[in-house]
mmCIF file of all heavy atoms in Angstrom:
data_model
loop_
_atom_site.group_PDB
_atom_site.id
_atom_site.type_symbol
_atom_site.label_atom_id
_atom_site.label_comp_id
_atom_site.label_asym_id
_atom_site.label_seq_id
_atom_site.Cartn_x
_atom_site.Cartn_y
_atom_site.Cartn_z
ATOM 1 N N LEU A 501 76.616 183.644 32.210
ATOM 2 C CA LEU A 501 76.980 184.301 33.466
ATOM 3 C C LEU A 501 77.116 183.323 34.635
ATOM 4 O O LEU A 501 77.577 183.705 35.703
ATOM 5 C CB LEU A 501 75.938 185.359 33.823
ATOM 6 C CG LEU A 501 75.878 186.557 32.892
ATOM 7 C CD1 LEU A 501 74.645 187.403 33.194
ATOM 8 C CD2 LEU A 501 77.141 187.387 33.020
ATOM 9 N N GLY A 502 76.675 182.092 34.442
ATOM 10 C CA GLY A 502 76.710 181.124 35.533
ATOM 11 C C GLY A 502 75.581 181.328 36.527
ATOM 12 O O GLY A 502 75.694 180.968 37.695
ATOM 13 N N ILE A 503 74.481 181.893 36.074
ATOM 14 C CA ILE A 503 73.295 182.081 36.912
ATOM 15 C C ILE A 503 72.165 181.294 36.257
ATOM 16 O O ILE A 503 71.747 181.604 35.144
ATOM 17 C CB ILE A 503 72.918 183.569 37.046
ATOM 18 C CG1 ILE A 503 74.078 184.347 37.686
ATOM 19 C CG2 ILE A 503 71.629 183.721 37.855
ATOM 20 C CD1 ILE A 503 73.900 185.841 37.681
ATOM 21 N N ARG A 504 71.707 180.300 36.946
ATOM 22 C CA ARG A 504 70.727 179.378 36.374
ATOM 23 C C ARG A 504 69.306 179.921 36.503
ATOM 24 O O ARG A 504 68.869 180.305 37.587
ATOM 25 C CB ARG A 504 70.834 178.039 37.093
ATOM 26 C CG ARG A 504 69.971 176.981 36.513
ATOM 27 C CD ARG A 504 70.269 175.654 37.149
ATOM 28 N NE ARG A 504 69.303 174.675 36.704
ATOM 29 C CZ ARG A 504 68.980 173.615 37.373
ATOM 30 N NH1 ARG A 504 69.575 173.356 38.527
ATOM 31 N NH2 ARG A 504 68.089 172.786 36.907
ATOM 32 N N GLY A 505 68.607 179.948 35.387
ATOM 33 C CA GLY A 505 67.182 180.287 35.388
ATOM 34 C C GLY A 505 66.395 179.039 35.749
ATOM 35 O O GLY A 505 66.406 178.062 35.005
ATOM 36 N N LEU A 506 65.737 179.045 36.897
ATOM 37 C CA LEU A 506 65.008 177.873 37.355
ATOM 38 C C LEU A 506 63.616 177.775 36.756
ATOM 39 O O LEU A 506 63.090 176.689 36.578
ATOM 40 C CB LEU A 506 64.899 177.872 38.883
ATOM 41 C CG LEU A 506 66.214 177.852 39.654
ATOM 42 C CD1 LEU A 506 65.940 177.934 41.144
ATOM 43 C CD2 LEU A 506 67.020 176.608 39.304
ATOM 44 N N ASP A 507 63.007 178.928 36.473
ATOM 45 C CA ASP A 507 61.657 178.915 35.926
ATOM 46 C C ASP A 507 61.371 180.270 35.298
ATOM 47 O O ASP A 507 62.047 181.264 35.575
ATOM 48 C CB ASP A 507 60.630 178.610 37.014
ATOM 49 C CG ASP A 507 59.331 177.999 36.493
ATOM 50 O OD1 ASP A 507 59.106 177.995 35.255
ATOM 51 O OD2 ASP A 507 58.541 177.521 37.319
ATOM 52 N N TYR A 508 60.357 180.267 34.463
ATOM 53 C CA TYR A 508 59.843 181.473 33.831
ATOM 54 C C TYR A 508 58.334 181.382 33.988
ATOM 55 O O TYR A 508 57.719 180.424 33.502
ATOM 56 C CB TYR A 508 60.260 181.496 32.358
ATOM 57 C CG TYR A 508 59.793 182.696 31.599
ATOM 58 C CD1 TYR A 508 60.492 183.893 31.664
ATOM 59 C CD2 TYR A 508 58.648 182.646 30.819
ATOM 60 C CE1 TYR A 508 60.060 185.001 30.970
ATOM 61 C CE2 TYR A 508 58.216 183.747 30.124
ATOM 62 C CZ TYR A 508 58.921 184.922 30.199
ATOM 63 O OH TYR A 508 58.487 186.021 29.510
ATOM 64 N N ILE A 509 57.752 182.302 34.714
ATOM 65 C CA ILE A 509 56.340 182.219 35.084
ATOM 66 C C ILE A 509 55.575 183.395 34.504
ATOM 67 O O ILE A 509 56.065 184.526 34.502
ATOM 68 C CB ILE A 509 56.206 182.189 36.623
ATOM 69 C CG1 ILE A 509 56.787 180.860 37.136
ATOM 70 C CG2 ILE A 509 54.761 182.375 37.068
ATOM 71 C CD1 ILE A 509 56.864 180.742 38.625
ATOM 72 N N ILE A 510 54.370 183.107 34.037
ATOM 73 C CA ILE A 510 53.459 184.165 33.591
ATOM 74 C C ILE A 510 52.254 184.118 34.522
ATOM 75 O O ILE A 510 51.627 183.070 34.697
ATOM 76 C CB ILE A 510 53.018 183.979 32.130
ATOM 77 C CG1 ILE A 510 54.246 183.982 31.210
ATOM 78 C CG2 ILE A 510 52.032 185.076 31.729
ATOM 79 C CD1 ILE A 510 53.939 183.627 29.766
ATOM 80 N N VAL A 511 51.962 185.254 35.138
ATOM 81 C CA VAL A 511 50.869 185.374 36.094
ATOM 82 C C VAL A 511 49.641 185.924 35.374
ATOM 83 O O VAL A 511 49.740 186.912 34.647
ATOM 84 C CB VAL A 511 51.269 186.324 37.251
ATOM 85 C CG1 VAL A 511 50.106 186.568 38.189
ATOM 86 C CG2 VAL A 511 52.475 185.767 37.993
ATOM 87 N N GLY A 512 48.513 185.260 35.583
ATOM 88 C CA GLY A 512 47.248 185.715 35.015
ATOM 89 C C GLY A 512 46.294 186.152 36.113
ATOM 90 O O GLY A 512 46.711 186.521 37.204
ATOM 91 N N ALA A 513 45.015 186.064 35.833
ATOM 92 C CA ALA A 513 43.984 186.488 36.782
ATOM 93 C C ALA A 513 43.565 185.335 37.689
ATOM 94 O O ALA A 513 43.647 184.170 37.307
ATOM 95 C CB ALA A 513 42.765 187.011 36.022
ATOM 96 N N GLY A 514 43.113 185.682 38.888
ATOM 97 C CA GLY A 514 42.516 184.703 39.785
ATOM 98 C C GLY A 514 43.432 183.565 40.199
ATOM 99 O O GLY A 514 42.971 182.444 40.418
ATOM 100 N N GLY A 515 44.727 183.825 40.277
ATOM 101 C CA GLY A 515 45.665 182.781 40.683
ATOM 102 C C GLY A 515 46.141 181.901 39.545
ATOM 103 O O GLY A 515 46.936 180.984 39.760
ATOM 104 N N ALA A 516 45.658 182.147 38.328
ATOM 105 C CA ALA A 516 46.109 181.350 37.178
ATOM 106 C C ALA A 516 47.546 181.727 36.833
ATOM 107 O O ALA A 516 47.936 182.891 36.942
ATOM 108 C CB ALA A 516 45.207 181.600 35.971
ATOM 109 N N TYR A 517 48.333 180.741 36.439
ATOM 110 C CA TYR A 517 49.709 181.005 36.024
ATOM 111 C C TYR A 517 50.172 179.928 35.060
ATOM 112 O O TYR A 517 49.592 178.844 34.975
ATOM 113 C CB TYR A 517 50.660 181.084 37.232
ATOM 114 C CG TYR A 517 50.904 179.769 37.937
ATOM 115 C CD1 TYR A 517 51.981 178.953 37.575
ATOM 116 C CD2 TYR A 517 50.073 179.327 38.956
ATOM 117 C CE1 TYR A 517 52.205 177.741 38.211
ATOM 118 C CE2 TYR A 517 50.299 178.129 39.601
ATOM 119 C CZ TYR A 517 51.361 177.336 39.232
ATOM 120 O OH TYR A 517 51.590 176.139 39.853
ATOM 121 N N TRP A 518 51.221 180.256 34.332
ATOM 122 C CA TRP A 518 51.905 179.300 33.463
ATOM 123 C C TRP A 518 53.354 179.247 33.917
ATOM 124 O O TRP A 518 53.967 180.288 34.165
ATOM 125 C CB TRP A 518 51.823 179.742 32.003
ATOM 126 C CG TRP A 518 52.538 178.816 31.058
ATOM 127 C CD1 TRP A 518 52.041 177.681 30.488
ATOM 128 C CD2 TRP A 518 53.881 178.950 30.570
ATOM 129 N NE1 TRP A 518 52.990 177.100 29.692
ATOM 130 C CE2 TRP A 518 54.135 177.858 29.720
ATOM 131 C CE3 TRP A 518 54.889 179.885 30.776
ATOM 132 C CZ2 TRP A 518 55.346 177.680 29.072
ATOM 133 C CZ3 TRP A 518 56.102 179.707 30.141
ATOM 134 C CH2 TRP A 518 56.319 178.621 29.294
ATOM 135 N N SER A 519 53.880 178.037 34.045
ATOM 136 C CA SER A 519 55.259 177.833 34.457
ATOM 137 C C SER A 519 55.989 177.067 33.364
ATOM 138 O O SER A 519 55.556 175.973 32.976
ATOM 139 C CB SER A 519 55.294 177.033 35.767
ATOM 140 O OG SER A 519 56.532 176.390 35.940
ATOM 141 N N ALA A 520 57.095 177.620 32.885
ATOM 142 C CA ALA A 520 57.899 176.922 31.873
ATOM 143 C C ALA A 520 58.448 175.614 32.431
ATOM 144 O O ALA A 520 58.510 174.610 31.723
ATOM 145 C CB ALA A 520 59.034 177.824 31.391
ATOM 146 N N GLN A 521 58.832 175.612 33.702
ATOM 147 C CA GLN A 521 59.353 174.390 34.317
ATOM 148 C C GLN A 521 58.274 173.310 34.350
ATOM 149 O O GLN A 521 58.505 172.176 33.939
ATOM 150 C CB GLN A 521 59.859 174.672 35.727
ATOM 151 C CG GLN A 521 60.415 173.439 36.422
ATOM 152 C CD GLN A 521 60.751 173.682 37.880
ATOM 153 O OE1 GLN A 521 60.659 174.799 38.382
ATOM 154 N NE2 GLN A 521 61.137 172.640 38.563
ATOM 155 N N ALA A 522 57.085 173.649 34.831
ATOM 156 C CA ALA A 522 55.992 172.680 34.918
ATOM 157 C C ALA A 522 55.555 172.197 33.538
ATOM 158 O O ALA A 522 55.161 171.039 33.372
ATOM 159 C CB ALA A 522 54.817 173.281 35.675
ATOM 160 N N ALA A 523 55.649 173.080 32.544
ATOM 161 C CA ALA A 523 55.255 172.722 31.181
ATOM 162 C C ALA A 523 56.352 171.981 30.421
ATOM 163 O O ALA A 523 56.160 171.588 29.273
ATOM 164 C CB ALA A 523 54.848 173.986 30.410
ATOM 165 N N GLY A 524 57.529 171.830 31.044
ATOM 166 C CA GLY A 524 58.645 171.158 30.371
ATOM 167 C C GLY A 524 59.273 172.001 29.278
ATOM 168 O O GLY A 524 59.863 171.466 28.345
ATOM 169 N N CYS A 525 59.175 173.326 29.411
ATOM 170 C CA CYS A 525 59.669 174.232 28.372
ATOM 171 C C CYS A 525 60.942 174.962 28.738
ATOM 172 O O CYS A 525 61.375 175.840 27.994
ATOM 173 C CB CYS A 525 58.595 175.275 28.047
ATOM 174 S SG CYS A 525 57.112 174.586 27.321
ATOM 175 N N MET A 526 61.555 174.650 29.869
ATOM 176 C CA MET A 526 62.801 175.328 30.231
ATOM 177 C C MET A 526 63.914 174.871 29.321
ATOM 178 O O MET A 526 64.135 173.664 29.194
ATOM 179 C CB MET A 526 63.173 175.057 31.696
ATOM 180 C CG MET A 526 62.348 175.816 32.708
ATOM 181 S SD MET A 526 62.396 177.609 32.540
ATOM 182 C CE MET A 526 64.075 177.978 32.949
ATOM 183 N N PRO A 527 64.596 175.792 28.655
ATOM 184 C CA PRO A 527 65.708 175.414 27.779
ATOM 185 C C PRO A 527 66.805 174.721 28.581
ATOM 186 O O PRO A 527 67.079 175.082 29.719
ATOM 187 C CB PRO A 527 66.210 176.735 27.225
ATOM 188 C CG PRO A 527 65.094 177.700 27.431
ATOM 189 C CD PRO A 527 64.358 177.225 28.645
ATOM 190 N N ARG A 528 67.425 173.721 27.975
ATOM 191 C CA ARG A 528 68.560 173.043 28.612
ATOM 192 C C ARG A 528 69.811 173.874 28.372
ATOM 193 O O ARG A 528 70.168 174.140 27.244
ATOM 194 C CB ARG A 528 68.740 171.647 28.044
ATOM 195 C CG ARG A 528 67.593 170.730 28.368
ATOM 196 C CD ARG A 528 67.951 169.297 28.010
ATOM 197 N NE ARG A 528 66.827 168.412 28.217
ATOM 198 C CZ ARG A 528 66.545 167.846 29.385
ATOM 199 N NH1 ARG A 528 67.287 168.083 30.428
ATOM 200 N NH2 ARG A 528 65.498 167.050 29.505
ATOM 201 N N THR A 529 70.425 174.287 29.462
ATOM 202 C CA THR A 529 71.662 175.069 29.370
ATOM 203 C C THR A 529 72.625 174.528 30.411
ATOM 204 O O THR A 529 72.216 173.909 31.398
ATOM 205 C CB THR A 529 71.411 176.568 29.661
ATOM 206 O OG1 THR A 529 70.832 176.692 30.962
ATOM 207 C CG2 THR A 529 70.502 177.198 28.623
#
């Protein structure tokens, strides 16, 4: 579609989160 996904984040408890970008897991497209 020409819309770039910059990150994929999972929010947990107490401010904890996982970021695909920070983890180096964003697919190259």
Side-chain angles (χ1 to χ4, degrees):
L501 293 170
I503 300 172
R504 185 172 172 205
L506 300 177
D507 205 349
Y508 180 82
I509 292 174
I510 301 173
V511 175
Y517 70 92
W518 179 85
S519 158
Q521 180 187 355
C525 295
M526 285 302 293
R528 294 191 184 274
T529 58

